[in-house]
Amino acid sequence: MTRRPALLLFSLLTVLSFTAFFSACGGGDDDDSSSSSPKDRDHDGIRDSRDDCPKVKEDGGQWGSDPKDGCPGTIDDLIELARSDINDFWQGQFDFEGEDYEPPIKFQSYTKEIDTACGPASLDNAFYCSADHSIYYDSNFLKAQLDTNGDFAPVLIVAHEWGHLVQSLLGILQDDTLYSIQIELQADCLAGVWAADADARSLLDQGDLEEGIVALFRVRDPKGTDFFDPQAHGTAGERIDAFNDGFDYGLDACKIQ
């Protein structure tokens, strides 16, 4: 059964005062539908007659390729799967509370600097823009995360940015008494809430959480970053703890004290 942190979503407001997947594909030109033992040359469980890449094995795991077309997954497949699942999760939470949910107006990738309602979108970045209620991400940045830290790393980045979208819907981003680090750590916590639900649905593979922890460790603030720094996101320990709090204890653990 899918976890639903009942009656906790809007308690977040009550205390505010706080993997390489790319490969050339061969054509599916061997139709073995008439054979009593259909061929599956790449041994990926999809017979050649239905496999768009019969000579290249499709990736295993929940975060592999989507849809099951027999081809190795791409970063676009991975991010689309994450987008769909994370959006559906938060839609469900808001619906459960009887509140309106608004998915991002745009979920836009870029590979060079582009203009957004929040200003230029820099490279090696992903962010939620409250000015147009949209999420932007450098697809090369997420691909690098995939290659370096594993397939759950870019998924966790998307989940973190979706946490900011949730904060915006709840009015948290509009509270100018909060510091950047409080906002960022809460987004890590909200990402953990989604990850726990995904894990309960057997969507996470063995090792995914470890990949997420490594990714959070590597995107920590530089040593000596002040708590009040307007760009502060948290130390490695703080970010990992925030994610684990959401994963282990749910939305109630994500309240800003």
Side-chain angles (χ1 to χ4, degrees), residues 8 10 36 41 45 51 84 91 116 133 139 144-145 158 160 179 221 237 246-247:
L8 290 177
F10 291 89
S36 59
R41 283 174 291 173
D51 195 332
S84 178
Q91 176 78 66
T116 75
H133 192 60
S139 58
Q145 288 288 320
V158 174
H160 172 94
Y179 295 104
D221 284 339
F247 188 92

Side-chain angles (χ1 to χ4, degrees), residues 15 17-18 178 182 252-257:
V15 293
S17 36
F18 149 139
L178 297 175
Q182 294 174 297
D252 196 42
C254 298
K255 292 184 293 187
I256 301 176
Q257 305 293 338

Side-chain angles (χ1 to χ4, degrees), residues 132-197:
D132 64 356
H133 192 60
S134 297
I135 294 174
Y136 299 87
Y137 62 94
D138 177 352
S139 58
N140 288 333
F141 168 61
L142 295 190
K143 176 62 166 58
Q145 288 288 320
L146 172 86
D147 292 342
T148 302
N149 299 321
D151 55 7
F152 193 64
V155 172
L156 181 55
I157 290 172
V158 174
H160 172 94
E161 298 309 328
W162 225 282
H164 289 317
L165 180 146
V166 170
Q167 290 171 324
S168 180
L169 293 175
L170 296 178
I172 295 170
L173 290 187
Q174 294 84 345
D175 187 337
D176 58 10
T177 69
L178 297 175
Y179 295 104
S180 171
I181 192 171
Q182 294 174 297
I183 296 293
E184 297 299 337
L185 291 177
Q186 187 182 59
D188 287 335
C189 187
L190 295 174
V193 173
W194 164 77
D197 184 82

Side-chain angles (χ1 to χ4, degrees), residues 1-214:
M1 178 179 293
T2 300
R3 298 185 190 179
R4 291 198 181 278
L7 304 179
L8 290 177
L9 181 60
F10 291 89
S11 70
L12 293 176
L13 295 170
T14 61
V15 293
L16 290 180
S17 36
F18 149 139
T19 202
F21 293 129
F22 297 101
S23 179
C25 293
D29 53 0
D30 291 331
D31 191 331
D32 301 293
S33 56
S34 62
S35 172
S36 59
S37 180
K39 288 184 179 180
D40 178 15
R41 283 174 291 173
D42 54 10
H43 305 291
D44 60 0
I46 302 173
R47 66 186 187 183
D48 288 356
S49 60
R50 297 180 178 177
D51 195 332
D52 289 344
C53 303
K55 298 180 182 179
V56 185
K57 187 175 182 179
E58 183 176 79
D59 312 290
Q62 297 288 359
W63 300 116
S65 55
D66 180 49
K68 297 297 181 183
D69 57 5
C71 296
T74 69
I75 186 63
D76 293 331
D77 292 333
L78 176 66
I79 298 308
E80 172 55 26
L81 180 59
R83 180 208 62 77
S84 178
D85 194 80
I86 297 168
N87 183 68
D88 287 350
F89 170 76
W90 287 114
Q91 176 78 66
Q93 303 313 304
F94 276 72
D95 286 349
F96 188 76
E97 299 287 352
E99 298 291 338
D100 292 334
Y101 173 77
E102 298 177 32
I105 293 173
K106 289 187 285 188
F107 185 73
Q108 183 173 334
S109 66
Y110 60 93
T111 56
K112 61 181 181 180
E113 288 192 0
I114 60 172
D115 291 327
T116 75
C118 291
S122 60
L123 299 180
D124 297 325
N125 195 23
F127 63 97
Y128 167 73
C129 175
S130 59
D132 64 356
H133 192 60
S134 297
I135 294 174
Y136 299 87
Y137 62 94
D138 177 352
S139 58
N140 288 333
F141 168 61
L142 295 190
K143 176 62 166 58
Q145 288 288 320
L146 172 86
D147 292 342
T148 302
N149 299 321
D151 55 7
F152 193 64
V155 172
L156 181 55
I157 290 172
V158 174
H160 172 94
E161 298 309 328
W162 225 282
H164 289 317
L165 180 146
V166 170
Q167 290 171 324
S168 180
L169 293 175
L170 296 178
I172 295 170
L173 290 187
Q174 294 84 345
D175 187 337
D176 58 10
T177 69
L178 297 175
Y179 295 104
S180 171
I181 192 171
Q182 294 174 297
I183 296 293
E184 297 299 337
L185 291 177
Q186 187 182 59
D188 287 335
C189 187
L190 295 174
V193 173
W194 164 77
D197 184 82
D199 188 47
R201 291 181 283 119
S202 300
L203 190 57
L204 271 61
D205 293 324
Q206 184 176 6
D208 277 346
L209 291 179
E210 289 79 3
E211 292 170 1
I213 295 302
V214 169

